[in-house]
């Protein structure tokens, strides 16, 4: 009986990723590394405000890599976008927070 309780408890545990999990990317490694660092920093700094995190990422990407970067930070969204080749990054951070970064001019 005690074994059943442990088994049920183990099955209901959620796996929470505390590291960035890249889902889709065609960026070169240099830009991708910088974008991941910016995304992690912004999401940790603005954990309760996804809009502020997106603004921070966008402004930093615009300064470092030129204008026309777009960022979406949130949970439970879908997207279909047009973007410049070699300028897309879609990742998850902190479990269920998704971050999509792309350039379109």
């Amino acid at each position: 009986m005690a074994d059943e309780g442990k088994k049920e408890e183990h099955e209901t545990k959620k796996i929470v990723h505390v590291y960035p999990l890249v889902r889709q990317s065609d960026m070169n490694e240099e830009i991708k590394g910088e974008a991941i660092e910016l995304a992690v920093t912004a999401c940790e700094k603005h954990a309760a405000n996804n809009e502020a995190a997106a603004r921070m990422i966008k402004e930093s990407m615009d300064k470092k890599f030129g204008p026309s970067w777009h960022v979406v930070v949130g949970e439970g969204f879908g997207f279909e976008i047009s973007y410049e080749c070699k300028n897309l990054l879609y990742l998850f951070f902190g479990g269920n927070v998704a971050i999509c970064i792309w350039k379109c001019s």
Side-chain angles (χ1 to χ4, degrees):
M1 194 100 164
D3 291 333
E4 287 180 23
K6 282 186 178 181
K7 186 177 180 183
E8 287 178 24
E9 181 181 310
H10 179 59
E11 289 176 359
T12 59
K13 276 188 173 180
K14 279 187 167 181
I15 297 172
V16 177
H17 299 286
V18 292
Y19 55 90
L21 178 67
V22 176
R23 183 80 174 127
Q24 176 73 35
S25 176
D26 67 353
M27 287 181 174
N28 68 41
E29 291 301 315
E30 179 188 337
I31 297 174
K32 183 166 112 177
E34 294 255 353
I36 291 170
E37 290 266 335
L38 284 168
V40 168
T41 302
C43 287
E44 287 175 345
K45 186 175 181 181
H46 302 285
N49 189 348
N50 291 341
E51 188 177 339
R55 184 176 293 114
M56 179 180 168
I57 297 167
K58 184 213 178 332
E59 289 173 356
S60 298
M61 293 294 286
D62 282 346
K63 284 179 188 172
K64 288 186 179 184
F65 303 110
S68 299
W69 286 92
H70 306 276
V71 181
V72 176
V73 177
E75 300 175 19
F77 65 88
F79 62 93
E80 185 173 330
I81 57 173
S82 296
Y83 66 96
E84 292 180 15
C85 290
K86 305 282 187 196
N87 287 298
L88 171 71
L89 176 64
Y90 178 49
L91 65 116
F92 289 95
F93 180 73
N96 55 352
V97 175
I99 303 156
C100 186
I101 304 170
W102 74 98
K103 186 174 186 176
C104 181
S105 44

